[in-house]
Structure formats: C-alpha cells, structure tokens
C-alpha cells in the first residue's frame, strides 16, 4: 500500500511537470485573453496559438532572451478595440505605466 502511494505521488509530480512544460507561458495566456477584447485581423490572430510554449513567434510580439513579451507592435495590423485589464499581467512589457 505504501509503495502504491509513493508511485502515485511520483506519477502526479511527473504529470504536473510534463503538463507545465507543454503549456503556454503566462505572457501568452495574458495576450490571448487580451486578444478577446481586440479586433485583430486574421493574418495576425492566426499566428497567436495556445499550443505554442511562448508568444515569441507571434506576429506583433517581441520577446527578450527569457521569452518574456517586452513589446507589442500591432499598429500596422489594423487592430481595433480597447485594452483590457490583462495588459497589466504583462510584467516585462516596456512603456507600461
């Protein structure tokens, strides 16, 4: 019984680590949530995918070496709408006050 419990705990730990390594970074989650209040053209939003580990290859997103989103440039993409509170979750974004 004790061995079974230990194996079960190891399985849970392993599953959690694997799942977290496959999931989208917090910046990516914040950007996807932010995109819900914006009207992004298909050519931009099609590059924004929850299946990516980070948003660093998404159109209009610039990241630092640690894969944090540091800049958004959507000015030439025809974006419209208003920024939601999710912008505050992008802790490394430059020019945020």
């Amino acid at each position: 019984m004790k061995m079974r419990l230990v194996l079960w705990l190891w399985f849970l730990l392993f599953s959690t680590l694997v799942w977290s390594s496959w999931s989208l970074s917090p910046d990516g989650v914040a950007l996807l949530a932010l995109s819900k209040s914006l009207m992004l053209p298909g050519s931009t939003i099609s590059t924004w995918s929850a299946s990516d580990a980070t948003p660093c290859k998404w159109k209009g997103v610039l990241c630092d070496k640690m894969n944090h989103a540091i800049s958004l440039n959507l000015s030439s993409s025809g974006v419209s709408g208003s920024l939601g509170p999710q912008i505050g979750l992008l802790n490394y974004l430059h020019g945020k006050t």
Side-chain angles (χ1 to χ4, degrees):
M1 179 68 176
K2 192 174 186 178
M3 181 61 138
R4 191 179 233 169
L5 179 61
V6 169
L7 287 174
W8 178 246
L9 290 174
W10 275 109
F11 173 75
L12 286 176
L13 176 64
F14 178 75
S15 298
T16 302
L17 292 173
V18 168
W19 177 254
S20 66
S21 69
W22 286 343
S23 61
L24 182 59
S25 70
D27 283 357
V29 171
L31 286 167
L32 282 181
L34 185 64
S35 74
K36 304 295 184 216
S37 64
L38 300 173
M39 299 295 289
L40 295 170
S43 61
T44 298
I45 200 66
S46 66
T47 68
W48 291 33
S49 173
S51 63
D52 294 331
T54 73
C56 298
K57 294 186 179 180
W58 296 357
K59 187 173 183 181
V61 179
L62 179 66
C63 292
D64 62 12
K65 291 180 182 178
M66 299 297 293
N67 292 324
H68 298 120
I70 59 170
S71 176
L72 291 177
N73 184 357
L74 301 171
S75 60
S76 65
S77 68
V79 66
S80 63
S82 58
L83 293 176
Q86 300 87 354
I87 194 75
L89 299 174
L90 298 168
N91 295 321
Y92 297 92
L93 197 62
H94 292 211
K96 190 175 74 165
T97 57

